Amino acid sequence: MSKPAVLVCRAVFPDIVDRLREHFDVEDNPSDVVWTPAELIQRLQGKAGVFITGTQPIDTALLDACPQLKAVCSMAVGYNNVDVPACTAHGVVVSNAPDVLTETTADFGFALMMAAARRIAESEHFLRSGAWSKWSVDAFAGTDVHGATLGVLGMGRIGQAVARRGALGFGMKVIYHNRSRLDAAIEAELGARWVDKEALLRESDHLVIVVPYSAASHHLVGAAELALMKPTATLTNIARGGIVDDAALAQALRDKRIAAAGLDVFEGEPSVHPDLLTVPNVVLTPHIASASLPTRRAMAHLAVDNLIAALGFGPHAGHPPTALNPEAL
Ligand code: GLV
């Protein structure tokens, strides 16, 4: 009997793709071409499953055009690129990759926040430019992280891991805003206090954004929200582009409405709003918060576990471990 066919959309670790070859006829993408939606549809013809990252759009048009598709398995935790209800309606199971990246992503969020607060990127550019001629008392003086108020917008797994670093490692006071409140025991462990969004913006010394992207979180932080923040505050976004209005943020940074920002994600990435590229008080990184090698490998393995199980093979046959819509099976 011939093996089911699957597609791997981006270049991933060859040994992990080999796990798929044990069960499937695999078309992979070792040269890492970014396919257009039309090219993706064309390559998906006859495929039962697809390994995606956080960027390929999986929508009704694609599902209608790929009737043999049964499983969409992403190595990302965020799945705003996938229309999950449409997948369910088409009998397509979807999985994401939670948990395995939580600590690595929180490490990076904390690093970006610290880089913004202590002006690390800005001062490094200054040094590299050859402009450093003398020590001065207030050169690149930033804001303290230890003992400051950490505000977390979106208190899921990654938000809690950021809060834990702040509370336990840096003696920070933690406030957060989330649709639902944490269990009292977790609030007590983190010393975290739920506040409304306005209080979060007003009281945070360092605001870290970790909410999922959806229509409801589009431009959740724009000019009006930035105007509520302290002029000494920093803003860090490790969630998704589009949650922060990048043009409004660039203006607020230029006007010193807030002190600094750290951004790993951008609306329309890999394009970056040109105004952000010209303000000095922002640290910009290319969507790498989960990018430690062990974590990226763990994310890819989890997507493969899901794909193998979703198509009825392996130890979890029929039960993909992190399915978002198991009812589709
Ligand atoms: C990365 O942004 C992810 O969602 O895994």
Side-chain angles (χ1 to χ4, degrees):
M1 213 177 81
S2 66
K3 294 173 171 176
V6 300
L7 181 69
V8 179
C9 281
R10 298 295 304 274
V12 280
F13 310 100
D15 59 313
I16 296 178
V17 177
D18 285 345
R19 289 189 54 214
L20 290 173
R21 294 193 201 283
E22 288 171 23
H23 305 283
F24 308 120
D25 271 339
V26 179
E27 177 180 343
D28 63 347
N29 182 4
S31 46
D32 208 26
V33 177
V34 177
W35 295 320
T36 62
E39 287 167 334
L40 179 59
I41 287 176
Q42 189 244 316
R43 286 180 188 272
L44 277 173
Q45 294 312 302
K47 304 290 193 306
V50 62
F51 176 120
I52 62 167
T53 65
T55 53
Q56 296 78 32
I58 306 291
D59 54 16
T60 301
L62 179 143
L63 295 163
D64 284 343
C66 304
Q68 282 163 307
L69 194 62
K70 289 281 160 271
V72 170
C73 299
S74 177
M75 67 171 280
V77 66
Y79 52 90
N80 53 292
N81 55 321
V82 181
D83 185 338
V84 180
C87 285
T88 308
H90 283 76
V92 174
V93 69
V94 182
S95 64
N96 69 336
D99 300 322
V100 288
L101 47 49
T102 299
E103 299 301 329
T104 297
T105 304
D107 282 351
F108 191 86
F110 217 85
L112 208 48
M113 176 188 79
M114 292 198 72
R118 299 301 309 275
R119 306 178 65 178
I120 289 177
E122 198 183 344
S123 59
E124 204 231 5
H125 291 150
F126 168 82
L127 182 151
R128 281 183 190 271
S129 76
W132 190 25
S133 59
K134 61 179 190 307
W135 182 92
S136 12
V137 72
D138 60 352
F140 296 103
T143 50
D144 277 324
V145 169
H146 73 273
T149 297
L150 171 64
V152 182
L153 184 55
M155 200 57 142
R157 289 169 286 238
I158 298 171
Q160 289 173 45
V162 170
R164 194 165 289 115
R165 281 158 178 71
L168 307 182
F170 287 76
M172 298 178 86
K173 183 174 132 192
V174 177
I175 54 178
Y176 73 98
H177 182 69
N178 203 49
R179 263 179 317 185
S180 50
R181 285 189 60 157
L182 295 175
D183 285 349
I186 303 178
E187 279 194 353
E189 181 211 342
L190 301 175
R193 183 167 57 90
W194 185 94
V195 292
D196 63 26
K197 185 178 156 199
E198 186 175 326
L200 186 82
L201 292 159
R202 285 189 193 283
E203 292 174 31
S204 295
D205 293 314
H206 303 292
L207 177 68
V208 179
I209 298 172
V210 211
V211 274
Y213 182 73
S214 67
S217 62
H218 182 72
H219 288 191
L220 194 59
V221 178
E225 289 74 21
L226 291 162
L228 296 175
M229 294 178 68
K230 298 179 186 179
T232 49
T234 72
L235 174 155
T236 296
N237 185 6
I238 53 168
R240 277 289 180 275
I243 295 170
V244 174
D245 177 343
D246 290 341
L249 177 61
Q251 190 62 48
L253 289 165
R254 197 183 299 285
D255 297 347
K256 304 275 169 51
R257 269 294 319 135
I258 66 169
L263 303 177
D264 187 48
V265 286
F266 305 88
E267 188 167 6
E269 65 186 49
S271 296
V272 174
H273 196 290
D275 293 355
L276 286 171
L277 298 173
T278 58
V279 282
N281 44 343
V282 59
V283 189
L284 307 169
T285 53
H287 203 146
I288 55 167
S290 65
S292 73
L293 203 47
T295 291
R296 284 282 163 91
R297 285 184 58 80
M299 294 160 70
H301 269 303
L302 184 51
V304 165
D305 292 344
N306 276 290
L307 193 44
I308 291 171
L311 296 181
F313 296 90
H316 309 290
H319 301 281
T322 55
L324 292 161
N325 59 346
E327 68 276 17
L329 273 172

